[in-house]
Amino acid sequence: MQLKAPAKRIIALYGAFNELLLALGAGDSLAARTVADADIPGLAHLPAIGTHMRPNAELIVQQSPDLVIQLAGRNEALLQTEALRGLGLNVLIFEMNSFEQMFGVMEKLGQLTGREAEASKLIGAWQKRLADLEAHYANQEPVSVFYEVRYPNLLAAGRGGIVDDIMAHAGARNVVTDEKKLVRFNEEALLAADPDAYLVQRGPMNPDPQPLDQRPHYKNLRAVRDGRVLTVDEDFFARPGPRSVDAAEALGRFLHPQAAR
């Protein structure tokens, strides 16, 4: 899609896009937000237009956006965006399951907002930090890690999402080998994998995770016995955006304290 002029009224239906636009210095181009994005600094004053999965078409049209952005992946959300296209709105859908895809989205947002130079500068800085991180842990033995997305009915981060990319840059190896982003995981398989470290996501998908030492069988995990359990913020680790680079650096320090800078 090519706009005739830089976008001036953007509605992003997923928080990560808002964070990228704010990092780009394009916050004044945001016309509205989803209900879930009220906590992102700088967005609370904007009108809410529904949720990521169920955006309200009438409220969106009222804001006269010249661009609407949605995340690929969930059929329910995509049906809603097709309806918005049917109303004549410019709608772009992006995948963002890795750092490489995130940089590609940032480059496109720079073009759409007339901020190509700013986008290029940010991408270059993030790429350098990640390259430095990889080099720093290159000689360390990879730490095997399990990332809990939700418990009970255990759900794990697989190889198809940004979490796996964060792990790889932090000198870790995901014990979940399924290529999907989210993977239903058998607790017997978890005990068999016996990861060196265990990450517990806390956020909307896992609001009040039970401590591992209070769960049946989990006390037998090496990560629990060795005290290598870390509770992480869902928005920080699972939402691709500027903070994903920070998450990789923080995870590296936790997993490799002897080599941390």
Side-chain angles (χ1 to χ4, degrees):
M1 176 189 296
Q2 296 292 330
L3 299 178
K4 294 180 180 178
K8 298 296 184 184
R9 293 191 62 77
I10 303 172
I11 297 179
L13 300 177
Y14 182 62
F17 301 129
N18 283 321
E19 292 195 36
L20 290 174
L21 287 162
L22 289 167
L24 196 55
D28 57 355
S29 299
L30 293 171
R33 58 167 173 80
T34 69
V35 173
D37 292 341
D39 292 336
I40 296 177
L43 299 190
H45 68 287
L46 294 177
I49 45 71
T51 67
H52 161 56
M53 296 293 291
R54 294 178 182 275
N56 185 305
E58 183 177 352
L59 293 177
I60 290 174
V61 170
Q62 286 176 5
Q63 295 302 321
S64 302
D66 48 19
L67 179 63
V68 177
I69 306 171
Q70 178 62 293
L71 183 71
R74 302 290 292 273
N75 289 335
E76 185 179 356
L78 297 183
L79 286 174
Q80 300 289 335
T81 52
E82 285 306 310
L84 294 175
R85 281 178 173 155
L87 295 172
L89 299 178
N90 294 319
V91 183
L92 280 178
I93 299 172
F94 292 115
E95 278 192 305
M96 222 166 31
N97 294 318
S98 66
F99 282 114
E100 183 177 355
Q101 287 183 341
M102 187 181 88
F103 297 151
V105 171
M106 190 55 152
E107 184 177 16
K108 186 64 177 177
L109 292 179
Q111 295 168 1
L112 292 168
T113 58
R115 296 174 180 269
E116 293 94 333
E118 292 91 333
S120 179
K121 185 176 180 180
L122 282 168
I123 293 168
W126 291 335
Q127 288 174 329
K128 183 179 186 310
R129 285 170 61 188
L130 290 173
D132 289 348
L133 196 61
E134 274 197 293
H136 187 71
Y137 296 122
N139 295 323
Q140 299 294 315
E141 184 71 23
V143 178
S144 64
V145 175
F146 182 87
Y147 185 98
E148 175 184 301
V149 174
R150 185 185 66 205
Y151 178 88
N153 299 318
L154 188 60
L155 192 66
R159 297 285 174 89
I162 189 74
V163 170
D164 188 77
D165 215 358
I166 288 171
M167 287 185 192
H169 283 85
R173 175 180 60 81
N174 192 350
V175 298
V176 180
T177 58
D178 195 302
E179 294 297 327
K180 292 190 296 186
K181 180 178 178 180
L182 301 175
V183 181
R184 294 190 185 280
F185 209 73
N186 184 295
E187 291 186 16
E188 286 73 21
L190 169 64
L191 293 173
D194 201 16
D196 298 318
Y198 193 107
L199 304 185
V200 183
Q201 170 178 285
R202 183 190 295 275
M205 292 190 70
N206 207 27
D208 189 22
Q210 183 182 25
L212 268 64
D213 59 5
Q214 296 179 14
R215 303 178 188 179
H217 312 303
Y218 275 63
K219 63 182 179 182
N220 296 320
L221 287 172
R222 178 172 36 185
V224 176
R225 295 199 308 269
D226 294 346
R228 300 186 79 182
V229 177
L230 180 66
T231 299
V232 302
D233 186 290
E234 179 178 334
D235 287 345
F236 193 57
F237 271 71
R239 176 188 284 176
R243 293 184 292 175
S244 298
V245 181
D246 300 333
E249 292 172 339
L251 182 58
R253 290 191 292 271
F254 172 73
L255 297 176
H256 303 281
Q258 75 286 357
R261 292 171 290 185

